[in-house]
Amino acid sequence: PALRALLKKGWLEHFQLGAAPDPPPRDSSGLALNEGQSRAVGRVGALGGRFAVALLDGVTGSGKTEIYLQSAAAVLARGQGVLVLVPEISLTPQLLRRFRQRLGSTVRVMHSALSEGDRELTWHRVRLGLSRVLLGTRSSIFTPMAELGLVIVDEEHDPSFKQTEGFRYSARDLAVVRAQRADCPVILGSATPSLESLRNAQTGRYLHLRLEQRAGGARSPRVDLLDIRDQPLRCGLSESLLAGVSRTLEKGEQVMLFLNRRGFAPVLSCFSCGWVSDCPRCDARQTLHRASGLLWCHHCGAQRPLPRRCPACAATDLHPLGQGTEQLEGFLAERFADYPLIRVDRDATARKGSLERQLARLHAAEAAVLVGTQMLAKGHHFPRVTLVGVLDADGGLYSADFRSTERMAQLLVQVAGRAGRGDRPGQVLIQTRYPEHPLLCTLVRGGYAAFAAEALRERREAGLPPYSHQALLRADATRAEFAQAFLEQVLDWAARRAAPGVELWGPVPAPMTRRAGRHRVHLLQQAVQRDVLHTLLRELPVHAAGLDAARRVRWSLDVDPIDLY
């Protein structure tokens, strides 16, 4: 109304701003390619812009980004657009810098940390074809693009591509669908491909492009297991690992220590009565964050001040148990006081631009210690890092989720890949209490390819994905019996409607039964043939919504779930 009144008075003039297209990419032939890279670029180019899925399976540091860039440059030369998906916002600045250095200002970025105005401007420019390259996180898959000519999914194995709340979807799988509808190629790149993608490559559905050597002549790091059974540890560090850190720093090189647990300690305990810092809303512990003086649940976000006395017996004998990155940082800052120490986790990089500043400090330093969580494992290039230490590699070996060993292997390989990316050889030291575990030994001795072959054999024998297809019906309620009753009614109906070949497992409590104050129950449906399963799934939501028991629960249907928690 205010604008209309000003227009009526003649004080404003309506004017349509013209939107100019971005300048064409600069002429750049790119870096020299080795034989494997040349073969991969050639096979993507030979597709002639038609739909096909290429799994780019390259060891860490093998130059996958250069293949993306040269393939994208060829598409831009034809006047078409390129969509690039990355799993994490933290990876975007580094990749964006490389794309813009080579392809110019036509590269735009989209993720949730941008302002609404910036996202809208990017959305319109890409939709209208004024900008030809979009680099973004999973929701970018829905951005309309003029004349889409190539889709790239970097780190395709990453679970971040799956939206697990609200509208559930897999951005990686949608990338394949979108490329098929646009009749253009899609490149799925990873040093540790998902078992689903490897299975599709084995059956011929995907082209399998292998890169088995590092770019620029860099050598793969040596990987060793450190048996820490009966070994004294200082803040989770064995004497062997500490000695390796000292030797590396004295040579003027950098060290990266990986601990996938933020905070000071995973639990606070009273040594007088045995009280532990349980979350009041979840079946989980509250993590001690000493810097902020909080006990913090990493599942539901519940927080409470750090108690001075035990809430159960009022004793002052409270002690942290276990280690987190915050505690590790304090110990290393004292032990190696003469060297820069940089911590990278969600707490240390919460402010805008803090990650870039931390990484800039690392690149500017000579010898330095880098401590962090899985934020460090994906896509970063640290040419001076020659030693990588993994403090706790055993978490994924004995989990209730059948995908845990796959995730453990992917994380270990990605972390190990940060070592020796420059002209100096690298070493990886993995602390474990299970050095004879068969899958861990296979991974260390034969690499990810050998591990994946063994894991696929186990999955085939167990009849688990990718040799079958799953859908998980989740229900949660304020009382466990409400969720249980709802899923039992669904089970009764599904057992009568399901075709032969569909297995129904449950209902059973979720591995974390109580979360955010609600009780969670699962019903798993599985079949070898996808169409048989989907015949049931097409009817299930309609029937479930009409049940009386549905009024007392929240429920969701997750097709191809990536975790069972």
Side-chain angles (χ1 to χ4, degrees):
L3 288 175
R4 283 197 293 269
L6 293 173
L7 278 169
K8 189 175 181 179
K9 293 176 183 290
W11 293 356
L12 290 184
E13 179 182 349
H14 188 276
F15 181 74
Q16 184 70 39
L17 289 172
D22 293 319
R26 295 184 291 269
D27 247 346
S28 174
S29 57
L31 303 176
L33 302 179
N34 59 34
E35 182 182 350
Q37 289 174 309
S38 297
R39 186 166 53 248
V41 171
R43 291 191 68 182
V44 173
L47 297 174
R50 310 295 292 182
F51 169 69
V53 184
L55 176 62
L56 185 58
D57 179 1
V59 298
T60 54
S62 58
K64 293 184 287 296
T65 303
E66 185 62 28
I67 294 172
Y68 300 156
L69 288 166
Q70 296 203 16
S71 300
V75 170
L76 293 177
R78 299 198 299 263
Q80 295 178 299
V82 180
L83 174 61
V84 184
L85 297 180
V86 295
E88 302 275 358
I89 292 175
S90 63
L91 296 182
T92 307
Q94 180 172 295
L95 201 60
L96 177 64
R97 193 180 312 115
R98 291 195 62 182
F99 266 75
R100 282 188 172 163
Q101 285 173 351
R102 290 279 292 280
L103 304 179
S105 59
T106 195
V107 180
R108 299 283 170 157
V109 65
M110 175 97 68
H111 54 69
S112 59
L114 297 175
S115 68
E116 290 186 4
D118 287 343
R119 288 204 304 272
E120 183 184 8
L121 177 63
T122 297
W123 191 89
H124 283 299
R125 290 193 64 85
V126 171
R127 176 181 64 89
L128 296 170
L130 302 174
S131 298
R132 290 288 184 175
V133 180
L134 178 63
L135 192 154
T137 47
R138 63 174 176 245
S139 61
S140 303
I141 190 62
F142 299 111
T143 306
M145 295 190 72
E147 299 180 80
L148 182 62
L150 176 66
V151 180
I152 298 170
V153 183
D154 191 30
E155 309 289 358
E156 66 86 27
H157 67 278
D158 199 288
S160 299
F161 283 122
K162 180 68 182 282
Q163 170 71 32
T164 57
E165 296 179 352
F167 172 53
R168 290 163 175 80
Y169 65 92
S170 166
R172 179 197 64 194
D173 295 348
L174 280 180
V176 175
V177 174
R178 184 159 183 195
Q180 183 181 36
R181 293 184 176 182
D183 195 21
C184 71
V186 55
I187 301 175
L188 307 179
S190 177
T192 54
S194 64
L195 297 187
E196 287 79 7
S197 294
L198 284 173
R199 173 65 176 159
N200 282 329
Q202 288 177 356
T203 58
R205 296 184 66 187
Y206 293 177
L207 297 175
H208 198 176
L209 310 179
R210 292 184 177 90
L211 301 176
E212 298 177 348
Q213 66 184 58
R214 285 188 158 187
R219 288 176 288 171
S220 295
R222 189 179 85 240
V223 181
D224 296 307
L225 294 177
L226 293 180
D227 185 356
I228 58 172
R229 292 173 296 185
D230 299 324
Q231 296 292 316
L233 301 179
R234 303 184 64 183
C235 272
L237 294 159
S238 64
E239 287 301 323
S240 298
L241 183 52
L242 282 170
V245 172
S246 296
R247 288 193 301 269
T248 303
L249 294 175
E250 288 167 2
K251 290 189 293 183
E253 298 168 351
Q254 295 179 348
V255 176
M256 188 177 102
L257 296 176
F258 173 77
L259 176 62
N260 203 25
R261 190 184 301 122
R262 61 191 176 100
F264 187 86
V267 65
L268 183 69
S269 177
C270 174
F271 282 11
S272 295
C273 72
W275 172 87
V276 291
S277 54
D278 289 329
C279 175
R281 307 178 70 224
C282 301
D283 291 333
R285 313 290 193 206
Q286 285 186 312
T287 299
L288 168 61
H289 288 251
R290 178 169 284 181
S292 57
L294 293 173
L295 292 175
W296 190 350
C297 177
H298 292 171
H299 298 280
C300 72
Q303 297 178 355
R304 52 177 162 167
L306 183 63
R308 296 180 180 274
R309 294 179 175 274
C310 173
C313 70
T316 58
D317 202 15
L318 296 174
H319 298 271
L321 300 179
Q323 296 82 35
T325 51
E326 188 182 320
Q327 182 180 161
L328 186 61
E329 177 189 33
F331 171 76
L332 293 169
E334 183 177 339
R335 177 72 179 256
F336 303 103
D338 296 334
Y339 300 97
L341 177 65
I342 298 159
R343 183 177 119 225
V344 175
D345 57 24
R346 194 182 304 174
D347 300 325
T349 60
R351 293 186 177 182
K352 186 175 181 180
S354 57
L355 176 63
E356 291 79 3
R357 288 192 295 272
Q358 293 284 64
L359 296 182
R361 283 183 58 210
L362 180 71
H363 290 302
E366 291 294 328
V369 181
L370 178 63
V371 175
T373 60
Q374 62 180 348
M375 289 181 69
L376 294 175
K378 308 167 188 175
H380 294 292
H381 180 63
F382 306 126
R384 293 194 185 97
V385 170
T386 58
L387 175 64
V388 168
V390 180
L391 272 65
D392 184 8
D394 301 332
L397 294 177
Y398 300 99
S399 169
D401 191 340
F402 68 88
R403 285 190 173 89
S404 62
T405 51
E406 177 187 0
R407 298 230 178 90
M408 175 211 68
Q410 290 167 342
L411 195 55
L412 289 180
V413 171
Q414 294 285 343
V415 171
R418 302 313 110 197
R421 295 172 73 95
D423 54 1
R424 302 179 185 182
Q427 182 183 17
V428 181
L429 299 176
I430 301 174
Q431 295 187 161
T432 177
R433 289 181 171 84
Y434 306 98
E436 294 93 9
H437 191 285
L439 285 180
L440 190 57
C441 291
T442 300
L443 178 66
V444 171
R445 294 168 186 163
Y448 185 77
F451 166 86
E454 183 65 21
L456 281 169
R457 183 190 63 79
E458 285 190 356
R459 297 273 188 93
R460 182 176 63 250
E461 292 178 357
L464 293 170
Y467 297 94
S468 62
H469 306 280
Q470 293 181 336
L472 185 62
L473 184 62
R474 295 183 174 96
D476 64 78
T478 54
R479 293 170 58 181
E481 56 266 31
F482 293 163
Q484 184 77 20
F486 167 72
L487 289 184
E488 285 177 354
Q489 290 183 21
V490 174
L491 175 64
D492 289 342
W493 172 86
R496 296 192 303 270
R497 301 286 296 181
V502 176
E503 301 175 5
L504 301 170
W505 298 351
V508 295
M512 182 182 291
T513 306
R514 190 169 57 99
R515 183 171 181 175
R518 298 182 68 88
H519 298 267
R520 307 158 70 232
V521 184
H522 290 172
L523 175 62
L524 184 67
Q525 301 128 87
Q526 178 173 298
V528 174
Q529 299 297 325
R530 185 180 288 276
D531 56 349
V532 175
L533 178 61
H534 279 220
T535 299
L536 175 67
L537 297 184
R538 276 190 286 271
E539 300 180 36
L540 189 149
V542 177
H543 175 80
L547 294 174
D548 290 339
R551 300 172 186 172
R552 295 183 293 185
V553 302
R554 295 188 312 208
W555 62 274
S556 63
L557 181 62
D558 188 0
V559 180
D560 295 330
I562 61 167
D563 69 68
L564 303 180
Y565 280 86

